[in-house]
Amino acid sequence: MKAEIIINRNYRIGEIDRRIYGSFIEHLGRAVYGGIYEPGHPTADDRGFRGDVIGLVKELNVPIVRYPGGNFVSGYNWEDGIGDKSKRPRRIELAWQSVEPNQVGIDEFQEWARRAGSEVMMAVNLGTAGPSEAMNCVEYCNSETDTHYAQMRRKNGFEKPFKIKTWCLGNEMDGDWQMGHKTAEEYGRVAAETAKLMKLVDPEIELVLCGSSSPEMPSYIDWELTALEHAYDYVDYISLHSYYNNKSGNTPEFFARSVGMDRFIKTVASVCDIVRAKKRRSKTVNLSFDEWNVWYNCSNAGWKIGAHIMEDCYTLEDAIVVGCLLMTLQNNCDRVKIACMAQLVNVIAPIMTDDDGSSWVQTTFYPFMFASANGRGTAMKPVVNCGSYRSADFGEVPYIETSVIHNAEKRELVVFAVNRSLDDGAETSVRFENFEDCALVEHVELYSDDLKAVNTKTSSAVLPARREIEAALPSAEHRVKLKKHSWNMLRFAY
Ligand code: AHR
């Protein structure tokens, strides 16, 4: 199969917001207890955070981490997780039917995030709580005033405010599984009033309104329209959530799911713009794709702390889909400003820990790591000429999925590419127009003959390989081979 990727300096999509390489830590399963936090672990630091896990998070290069949920947040009292740890309540936790010991809360998590090189994206409870708890939390985290909650933070040992900039107005409030589930009208009103108060406490913060919890929800679109009707003036982003899997065993359809993600993004952006037009506003509401990933298994925790639940083991084909989803986020960077791979540690996660104290990384770790490290700069709009196949859900799907990022500071062009074909490699010409001649300096490939190959704590069947580069000479055209069902990163320097 032949393919062609043409990159012209004049055709740009927009600047990548580094926060599209965000992730998510929820009080769920072993994400917190036994994941990021394990006092007594040989690598634990003075606060009980696992050093091996922080090391892997730093390798992934995650600029923002959403916290503390997820479904968990809709029953959470943030005041349970601050101050003297020995006095914190042990609570029944209804979202995942677990026990929450509250040994980690915002006091600890903001410190963990700092040590991991990330910022916190904090979610407030709009399920069982409301505007008052949310505005108090903003005061506790961000205020410098001589007032109750800011003083409480100081008393708890934090003189300086945490300065949390990005906040979510609840989580998946359209879903009937959510504690305090609401109609779009109910949610829109409470979200608007909560947003108003939170911004009065700290006008610098940015707020994310809950969109639909998936495009399959019956209220999808109507929910967005109604919630935005109420809250448009107070919010900066609307959330999108979507998970994908290959439970049907149809790999070509699974590989096409990023086309669905692309349509989802473009549709929600249009809905935001319809409300903007109706309200005759100049402000644009952007998108926060704050839950996305491949996800197979869901269960509850059986009233345990740190239960082994939702610990999916990812294959090469899952990693290829994660690679395509990341390209889709990059290619929509004009509207998607925040995105969180859900989740980060142990729970549907790229980073795993084991009961024996070891840690290891899944197949999905690699496309994320390379995208975050090398996908910073301007997303370009390449022309891709290649064959396609027919998908039942999405029509014609091109064999080659790609994104191209221009980093002018580093004088680099980075091409991410997946070949979706299960049978044929793609002899691919990469052509640059209106650029200086470029040299191919790195070709990283994620490939195995076996699409179902996985990594475990003892074996790594799916590892990125650096392909040999024949001649690193500057040229306007390069020929590369993209193996069948492979993920690739090509780095060009000029
Ligand atoms: O990420 C796991 C769960 O998926 C989150 O708690 C919830 O928001 C979503 O349904």
Side-chain angles (χ1 to χ4, degrees):
M1 169 171 66
K2 293 227 177 308
E4 191 177 39
I5 302 171
I6 305 161
I7 304 154
N8 187 309
R9 189 175 216 133
N10 297 309
Y11 303 152
R12 304 183 199 103
I13 299 167
E15 291 306 301
I16 300 264
D17 188 318
R18 62 189 181 88
R19 295 174 301 172
I20 70 165
Y21 305 115
S23 191
F24 180 25
I25 288 281
E26 178 166 359
H27 284 247
L28 195 187
R30 295 190 308 125
V32 174
Y33 305 110
I36 63 167
Y37 179 77
E38 195 175 337
H41 186 271
T43 70
D45 62 18
D46 55 318
R47 290 209 174 234
F49 298 133
R50 282 183 64 154
D52 57 341
V53 173
I54 286 190
L56 291 169
V57 174
K58 280 187 169 163
E59 271 184 52
L60 262 194
N61 213 333
V62 184
I64 191 163
V65 184
R66 186 164 174 254
Y67 175 85
N71 295 341
F72 170 84
V73 79
S74 297
Y76 182 55
N77 175 1
W78 67 270
E79 290 193 54
D80 286 348
I82 57 169
D84 185 345
K85 281 188 174 184
S86 66
K87 298 209 172 79
R88 294 187 193 175
R90 211 178 145 87
R91 298 264 191 215
I92 191 164
E93 195 289 293
L94 298 177
W96 304 107
Q97 302 191 1
S98 63
V99 169
E100 176 52 53
N102 282 305
Q103 293 305 290
V104 173
I106 191 56
D107 281 357
E108 291 74 31
F109 191 74
Q110 57 80 32
E111 184 58 30
W112 176 84
R114 206 180 55 74
R115 293 179 188 194
S118 297
E119 61 177 274
V120 179
M121 178 181 187
M122 183 78 180
V124 297
N125 176 355
L126 289 188
T128 61
S132 161
E133 290 86 345
M135 75 183 205
N136 294 342
C137 189
V138 177
E139 182 191 329
Y140 182 86
C141 292
N142 288 5
S143 276
E144 308 218 45
T145 47
D146 178 13
T147 51
H148 182 73
Y149 284 99
Q151 284 296 21
M152 194 185 277
R153 183 194 67 238
R154 292 188 190 97
K155 205 175 92 235
N156 290 340
F158 304 98
E159 183 54 41
K160 289 216 177 97
F162 304 153
K163 289 280 171 221
I164 297 175
K165 185 165 178 218
T166 318
W167 296 73
C168 303
L169 294 160
N171 175 71
E172 295 190 347
M173 299 309 302
D174 61 326
D176 60 7
W177 59 87
Q178 202 69 216
M179 288 176 269
H181 159 60
K182 292 182 172 41
T183 65
E185 285 285 341
E186 289 165 348
Y187 173 67
R189 284 290 302 131
V190 79
E193 288 307 309
T194 306
K196 191 165 88 187
L197 301 188
M198 290 169 80
K199 283 194 171 173
L200 280 172
V201 178
D202 183 355
E204 302 287 301
I205 61 175
E206 290 191 332
L207 296 173
V208 184
L209 185 71
C210 284
S212 295
S213 48
S214 101
E216 274 76 51
M217 293 298 284
S219 56
Y220 173 48
I221 306 291
D222 288 334
W223 174 275
E224 279 78 0
L225 281 169
T226 307
L228 282 166
E229 278 286 344
H230 289 290
Y232 195 91
D233 291 338
Y234 304 104
V235 302
D236 305 280
Y237 310 95
I238 188 163
S239 72
L240 295 84
H241 290 184
S242 193
Y243 293 95
Y244 310 89
N245 65 55
N246 190 14
K247 283 189 186 166
S248 65
N250 185 337
T251 301
E253 281 300 324
F254 184 41
F255 280 175
R257 302 306 289 175
S258 53
V259 178
M261 182 196 237
D262 186 64
R263 287 187 192 166
F264 183 24
I265 290 170
K266 292 193 163 68
T267 306
V268 176
S270 305
V271 173
C272 293
D273 296 348
I274 287 171
V275 178
R276 179 179 65 188
K278 271 184 81 182
K279 287 182 170 285
R280 283 133 180 103
R281 298 290 189 266
S282 57
K283 162 185 154 180
T284 298
V285 168
N286 280 316
L287 312 188
S288 170
F289 211 124
D290 45 43
E291 286 191 34
W292 68 269
N293 203 351
V294 174
W295 180 5
Y296 290 88
N297 301 297
C298 188
S299 56
N300 67 47
W303 309 114
K304 289 199 191 76
I305 303 172
H308 283 261
I309 55 168
M310 290 158 60
E311 300 193 0
D312 284 355
C313 185
Y314 292 115
T315 61
L316 169 64
E317 71 176 9
D318 297 327
I320 289 173
V321 168
V322 163
C324 289
L325 297 173
L326 282 160
M327 290 175 216
T328 307
L329 293 168
Q330 292 167 332
N331 286 333
N332 284 285
C333 70
D334 51 336
R335 293 309 290 265
V336 179
K337 303 296 172 185
I338 304 168
C340 303
M341 187 199 214
Q343 300 194 6
L344 184 55
V345 182
N346 285 333
V347 173
I348 45 173
I351 297 171
M352 302 299 291
T353 67
D354 194 83
D355 290 342
D356 67 8
S358 61
S359 49
W360 55 280
V361 305
Q362 301 236 34
T363 58
T364 51
F365 184 90
Y366 298 110
F368 191 102
M369 178 182 83
F370 284 104
S372 182
N374 300 290
R376 315 257 177 144
T378 309
M380 309 299 289
K381 191 160 183 48
V383 172
V384 183
N385 296 316
C386 65
S388 60
Y389 65 95
R390 185 114 202 116
S391 138
D393 288 337
F394 304 107
E396 282 305 306
V397 173
Y399 280 116
I400 306 298
E401 176 80 75
T402 192
S403 62
V404 180
I405 315 297
H406 178 207
N407 189 323
E409 218 173 287
K410 289 194 186 160
R411 296 175 61 82
E412 247 180 35
L413 280 142
V414 182
V415 177
F416 296 97
V418 156
N419 179 359
R420 291 187 171 103
S421 171
L422 300 187
D423 308 306
D424 294 324
E427 301 298 338
T428 308
S429 143
V430 182
R431 250 176 44 216
F432 299 100
E433 293 178 356
N434 299 319
F435 274 106
E436 291 164 51
D437 285 355
C438 294
L440 176 60
V441 291
E442 193 179 21
H443 180 175
V444 180
E445 179 186 77
L446 202 61
Y447 175 79
S448 155
D449 255 358
D450 179 8
L451 270 169
K452 302 292 179 191
V454 297
N455 296 342
T456 66
K457 72 168 174 161
T458 48
S459 70
S460 295
V462 184
L463 285 175
R466 281 201 166 72
R467 288 195 54 182
E468 209 170 300
I469 294 164
E470 279 165 23
L473 295 176
S475 167
E477 181 169 5
H478 294 264
R479 290 183 186 279
V480 288
K481 175 152 183 195
L482 306 176
K483 283 188 190 151
K484 65 177 184 181
H485 59 72
S486 67
W487 171 96
N488 301 262
M489 183 193 76
L490 306 160
R491 208 157 54 79
F492 297 91
Y494 62 91

